[in-house]
C-alpha cells in the first residue's frame, strides 16, 4: 500500500534505533520517558489496542505519543515540539504505593 502515512514515528535525535540502553534487560521491554517528548519503548514487547488487537509497530524501537497531539497515535510524530509539550523524564515525587511497598519489605 503506497498511500501510507507521510510522516513515520520519530525517535528523539539522541536515540539510535535498535540499541538497548545500558543496564537494559534482553528478555523484556525498556520504556524511557523522554523529557518534553515521547515514551521510547525498546526490546521485546507487544503493542495492543484496548480490545486486545495487535498493533504492528514496524520496528523494535518505537516512540509513543505522550502529548496527545500526534497525527499517528499511538506513535509520536514530533508534534510535541510544535505544541510546547512539557513533562519531566522522571516523576517529581515517588508514587505513594511504591513508598508503602518499600516500608513493608
Amino acid at each position: 500500500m503506497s498511500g501510507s502515512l507521510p510522516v513515520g514515528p520519530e525517535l528523539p535525535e539522541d536515540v539510535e534505533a535498535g540499541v538497548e540502553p545500558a543496564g537494559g534487560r534482553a528478555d523484556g521491554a525498556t520504556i524511557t520517558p523522554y523529557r518534553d517528548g515521547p515514551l521510547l519503548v525498546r526490546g521485546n514487547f507487544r503493542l495492543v489496542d484496548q480490545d486486545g488487537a495487535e498493533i504492528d509497530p514496524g520496528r523494535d524501537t518505537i516512540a509513543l505519543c505522550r502529548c496527545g497531539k500526534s497525527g499517528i497515535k499511538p506513535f509520536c510524530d514530533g508534534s510535541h515540539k510544535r505544541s510546547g509539550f512539557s513533562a519531566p523524564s522522571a516523576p517529581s515525587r515517588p508514587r505513594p504505593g511504591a513508598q508503602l511497598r518499600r516500608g513493608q519489605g
Side-chain angles (χ1 to χ4, degrees):
M1 177 176 218
S2 61
S4 61
L5 298 171
V7 178
E10 103 166 11
L11 297 179
E13 296 83 29
D14 59 343
V15 173
E16 201 174 321
V19 174
E20 187 69 21
R25 294 176 17 175
D27 61 341
T30 300
I31 302 171
T32 307
Y34 267 71
R35 186 176 307 106
D36 302 335
L39 295 172
L40 207 69
V41 183
R42 296 179 177 104
N44 186 18
F45 63 90
R46 280 182 63 225
L47 185 60
V48 296
D49 68 14
Q50 68 182 15
D51 299 320
E54 189 116 7
I55 298 171
D56 179 10
R59 58 176 74 171
D60 294 334
T61 300
I62 61 170
L64 296 175
C65 177
R66 220 170 29 142
C67 74
K69 304 292 185 190
S70 174
I72 56 172
K73 291 180 194 87
F75 304 104
C76 175
D77 69 359
S79 294
H80 58 273
K81 294 174 188 172
R82 292 183 298 282
S83 70
F85 176 72
S86 177
S89 176
S92 57
R93 61 178 196 238
R95 293 178 53 192
Q99 290 174 331
L100 291 173
R101 282 192 298 275
R102 273 187 288 222
Q104 293 173 351

